[in-house]
Amino acid sequence: MASAPGPDPPGDSSEDERPKWDNKLQYLLSCVGFAVGLGNIWRFPYLCQSHGGGAFLIPYLIALAFEGIPLFHIELAIGQRLRRGSVGVWKAISPYLGGVGLGCFTASFLISLYYNTVLTWVLWYLLNSFQHPLPWSTCPLNLNQTGFVEECQGSSSVSYFWYRQTLNITADIDYSGSIQWRLLVCLAACWAVLYLCVIRGIESTGKVIYFTALFPYLVLTIFLIRGLTLPGATEGLIYLFTPNMQTLQSPRVWLDAATQIFFSLSLAFGGHIALASYNPPRNDCEKDAVTIALINSMTSLYASIAVFSVLGFKAANDYGHCLDRNILSLTNEFDFPDQSISRDEYAAVLTHLNATQPERLAGLHLESCRLQDFLDKSASGTGLAFIVFTEAILHMPGAPAWAVLFFSMLFTLGLSSMFGNIEGVITPLLDMGVLPRWVPKEILTGTVCLLCFLVATCFTLQSGNYWLEVFDKYAASLNLIIFAFFEVIGVVYVYGMERFCDDIEWMTGRRPGLYWRVTWKVISPLLLLTIFVAYIIYQVWTALSMAENSQYKQFPSRQEKSYPGWVQAICGLLSFLPALLVPGVAMAQLPIWRRRKQKRGGQPDMENRPREPMASPGPKDRPSSREE
Amino acid sequence: MWWLLFFLVTAIRAELCQPDAENAFKVRLSIRTALGDKAVSGEPAKEYRINKVVFLWSVKISPNRRGILISHVLLCNITQRVSFWFVVTDPTKNYTLPADEIQSAIRMNRNRINSAFSLNDQTLEFLKIPSTLAPPTDPSVPIWIIIFGVVFCIVIVAITLLVLSGIRQRRRKNKEPSEVDDTEDKSENTITIENGIPCDPLDTKGWHINDTFMTEDERLTPL
C-alpha cells in the first residue's frame, strides 16, 4: 500500500512502530464487526415491527443519510489523518476539546463492562445448548414429583430458565443477592477469550476478525433459509413489513430511528477513530464510510427477515397449541370423541355450542386464540434472544443444533463489537503513554481486561440484570449524543471546514462534495441537537422506572416501579459525569493557556494561529508537538 | 355385545357407582391420540381389560383384601369421549373400597398399567390421581461444565503461548545492534526549524518520492 513518506517528527519514533493493518480487508471487517452487533439482531427488527413495519425504513434511511454516514465519515477521517486514538485526536484538534476524547474513552469503558456481561449470558446459553433435550424445554419437577415447580408452571419453562436458573433474579434492584458463580466463571471465560483476541492489539484482532465478522453472516443465511421454509414464516414477514404510514406521525418513531442509526453504527465511542488510526494516511475513507454504513444497514434488514420468519413460525405454533388446548377442553367437557374436532372445525363447533349451551361454555374459561395476538408478542433485547427465540428454537426439529448455531452467532457478533470497544479504551491509553515504553502491550491489555472483569463482577449479582439495564439506558445514550455533537462542531468549526476538506482531499484524492459540506455544517449538528432535546424531554416525561419483579408470567410486559433514590443518583451520575468532562477539561485548559500567553509576553502565538495545510502534511505536522 | 352385558351386570350395583360418588374415580382415554391412525373401534374391549388390570393391581397392593373379583370393579357413565367412572367394591358388594387405597394402588402401578395398553399419563388419565413424573436423567457432571472446562483450558493455553512468544520476540529484537537504528533516526530527525515553524522540505528519506508527481494509483489504497 502506498504510504506517504515524511520525515519523522523529532523524538517521536513511535510513528514507525505504530501497528498497521495487514491488509485493507482486515480494517473493513473490523469496522463492520464493530458496527454490526447485537443491536442489529435484536433491536432493529423489533423497532421495525413496532413502528409501522416497512414505513420505519423511511425515517431510518433519512437518519442514515443525514446523520449516520456524515458522522461516520468524520470519525474515520480524523482518525486516519491524525493517527491517534480518541483522546489524542481531540487534544490535537484543540486542547479545549480534550474532554470529548476523555469522555469517549470513559463511555467506551463503561460500555465494555456491561456489553461483555451480555456475552456472558450468551456463553452460558451456548454451553447449555450441547444437550438434548435442551434444559429450557421442561420445567424442573417439584419436591414430591407430582408436578412442576410452581414458579415455572405460572410462567413458562423458558422464562424460568432465564430468570431463575440463569440470572436467579431478585425482586428488586435494592436486593443485591449473592454472586452467581455460574455467571462468574462464564464472565471470566469471556474476558479471557477477549484478552486472547486483543492481546497484541490489532495484530491479534486482525487475525480473529476474519472469523468473528464473517461467521454471523453464514449463520444468518442458514437461519434465513431454514426460517423461510418453516410454516408460519410468511405470516411473520407480512406482519413485519406491512407498512403503516400512520406511525410516521409520531415523533417517537423519528427519535427511535435516529438513535438506532447512531448506536447501530457505534458512533462517538472512539472505536472507529482508533481503528482508522492504524490505516495508512492515504486511504479512501469516504468510500469506506459509505460502504460500512450501508453494510450495517443491509445486515439489519437481512437479520430482521431471518428473525421474523422464525418468530412467525413461533406465533403460528403457539396459535396452533392454543387451539388444541381449547379443543381438548371442549372434548373433555362435552364428551366428544377423542380428536373429533380439527383445528379448522373449531370455530364452527364453538359457535354451535355458544348457541346451544352458552353457560357450560362460559364455565370453561377458554382462552381466546388469535394469531395476531401471538405475533404481537414480540420483544427486543435480551427478551428476544433468551426467551422468545429460544422458545421458537425448541419447536424446530434438531433444536440443540439450532441453539448452538444461534448462540455462537450472537457470541461472535458481540465479540467483534467488543474488539472495537476495547480498542477505544486501549488505543488512547497507548497513545497517552500511561505505562512506560518498555512495558509490553500484553501487560496493558491484560490489566485493562482484568480491571474490567473485576468491576463487571457486580453484574453477576442477582440484581445484575437491573444494573445492566441502568448502564444500558443511562451510560450509553445521552453522553454519546453530546460527544457526537461536539465532534461535528469541533471538526467543522474549530479545526476548520476548509482545512478538513483539504486533509480529505489529500487522503482520498477528491474534495468532499456539497452533500458532505451541507450535512457537516448544518444538518448533522441540528439533527443531533434535536435528538438530544427530544431525548431529555422523553426521559423526563417517562419517569425513571421499570423494575422487574417475580411476576414475569406477564412477560413481556413488566411491572412499572420507580428506582429507589440512590439508584436514581447513580443513573444521573452515569448520564452526566462523562459529559461533564467536556466543559471540565476545557476550563482546566484556560489557566494553562493564560500562563503560556504570559510566558511568551506579547510574541505572536505561533501555536494557536490557524495553520494552512501544507503540501504534504506528514505526521510531524500534527499539533501533537504541543502536547505536554 | 360385551358392552350390553357389562351394563346388565353392573346395573345391579348402579347405586354404588355414580359420577362423583364416594370412592369413585373418573378415567379418561384418548386412544386416537395415542394410536393415531392405527386406532380401531375396540373401545369396549379396552374398557374391559382396563377393568381387569385395575382389579388385579388393587388386589396385589392390598393383600388384606382377599376375594376381590373382576365383577367387583364397577363401571358407569361410559361416554363417547371414552371416559368412565369406576369403583371397586369389597367381596360383599355392599360398600366401596376407600379411595386412598385405590389411589395408592394405581399410583404405584401406573407405569405397568400404562405400558400394558401402550398409553401414557396423558392418554390414560385417572382424574384426581396425580401421576408421579419421571425426573430427567441428569448426568453426574452437567454438560456445560465439561464444555466450559475444555474451552477455558484452550484459551489459557493459547494466552500463555502468545505471551511467551511475545517475550521471545522482544528478547530477539533487543539483541539486535541498536547503533544502526540510532544513526538512521538521527539523520532523519534533523529538520530545519525557522521561527519556530518546522520547514517541510520535499522528502529527505533515501530515494525520494516527489509529492507533486503522485500517480493516480498511489493516492488510493488498493484493497
Side-chain angles (χ1 to χ4, degrees), chain A residues 167-470:
Chain A
L167 298 176
N168 200 7
I169 202 163
T170 51
D172 208 323
I173 198 171
D174 264 329
Y175 311 110
S176 301
S178 55
I179 288 190
Q180 300 302 298
W181 68 269
R182 294 188 183 88
L183 288 182
L184 190 67
V185 296
C186 287
L187 185 74
C190 276
W191 279 106
V193 168
L194 189 66
Y195 178 51
L196 174 66
C197 296
V198 301
I199 191 167
R200 291 211 196 118
I202 64 163
E203 290 163 32
S204 42
T205 61
K207 313 279 187 306
V208 188
I209 201 74
Y210 291 112
F211 174 69
T212 57
L214 293 174
F215 178 70
Y217 286 97
L218 175 68
V219 175
L220 265 179
T221 312
I222 296 175
F223 261 100
L224 185 73
I225 297 173
R226 177 75 256 238
L228 288 176
T229 55
L230 287 170
T234 33
E235 278 91 3
L237 287 175
I238 292 170
Y239 183 66
L240 168 70
F241 283 120
T242 311
N244 175 16
M245 293 300 188
Q246 302 294 101
T247 54
L248 293 184
Q249 293 166 3
S250 152
R252 182 71 210 279
V253 174
W254 294 85
L255 178 66
D256 276 341
T259 46
Q260 171 62 17
I261 269 291
F262 190 81
F263 296 119
S264 182
L265 283 173
S266 309
L267 296 171
F269 282 51
H272 285 297
I273 298 179
L275 294 176
S277 70
Y278 298 115
N279 266 342
R282 287 181 189 270
N283 176 44
D284 195 345
C285 53
E286 178 186 341
K287 201 165 72 172
D288 295 342
V290 177
T291 313
I292 296 168
L294 285 178
I295 291 178
N296 180 51
S297 297
M298 290 296 123
T299 310
S300 291
L301 273 172
Y302 195 59
S304 53
I305 298 178
V307 164
F308 262 85
S309 50
V310 175
L311 291 184
F313 158 71
K314 174 180 186 297
N317 207 318
D318 288 345
Y319 173 65
H321 286 321
C322 181
L323 284 180
D324 287 341
R325 280 194 299 273
N326 283 355
I327 290 174
L328 193 65
S329 305
L330 284 181
T331 48
N332 286 346
E333 171 68 20
F334 294 99
D335 290 321
F336 295 131
D338 181 31
Q339 285 202 357
S340 54
I341 310 174
S342 72
R343 285 181 187 174
D344 304 320
E345 294 166 5
Y346 168 72
V349 170
L350 196 65
T351 35
H352 169 77
L353 285 173
N354 219 356
T356 50
Q357 303 179 63
E359 321 83 34
R360 270 178 92 185
L361 196 64
L364 276 181
H365 301 293
L366 294 176
E367 34 180 323
S368 78
C369 298
R370 279 175 67 235
L371 183 60
Q372 193 69 9
D373 295 338
F374 291 107
L375 283 170
D376 277 332
K377 277 206 199 118
S378 62
S380 76
T382 51
L384 176 75
F386 299 119
I387 299 189
V388 176
F389 215 83
T390 43
E391 195 177 332
I393 286 178
L394 281 178
H395 301 303
M396 291 161 75
W402 295 107
V404 168
L405 271 179
F406 178 65
F407 289 113
S408 43
M409 172 186 75
L410 286 187
F411 191 73
T412 43
L413 270 174
L415 199 64
S416 52
S417 295
M418 276 303 295
F419 293 160
N421 278 327
I422 283 287
E423 278 302 323
V425 174
I426 289 178
T427 306
L429 286 175
L430 281 172
D431 295 335
M432 288 194 294
V434 163
L435 293 180
R437 192 60 64 84
W438 53 267
V439 174
K441 193 190 274 188
E442 288 90 332
I443 294 195
L444 176 69
T445 46
T447 318
V448 170
C449 288
L450 185 65
L451 186 68
C452 289
F453 164 67
L454 290 174
V455 177
T457 49
C458 73
F459 293 119
T460 58
L461 289 169
Q462 287 183 256
S463 57
N465 191 31
Y466 299 129
W467 284 109
L468 202 129
E469 284 173 4
V470 166

Side-chain angles (χ1 to χ4, degrees), chain A residues 145 200 282 332 338 508 616, chain B residues 33 133 162 165 211 220-221:
Chain A
Q145 293 193 344
R200 291 211 196 118
R282 287 181 189 270
N332 286 346
D338 181 31
T508 68
S616 62
Chain B
T33 312
L133 301 169
L162 278 175
S165 75
D211 281 357
L220 304 172
T221 330

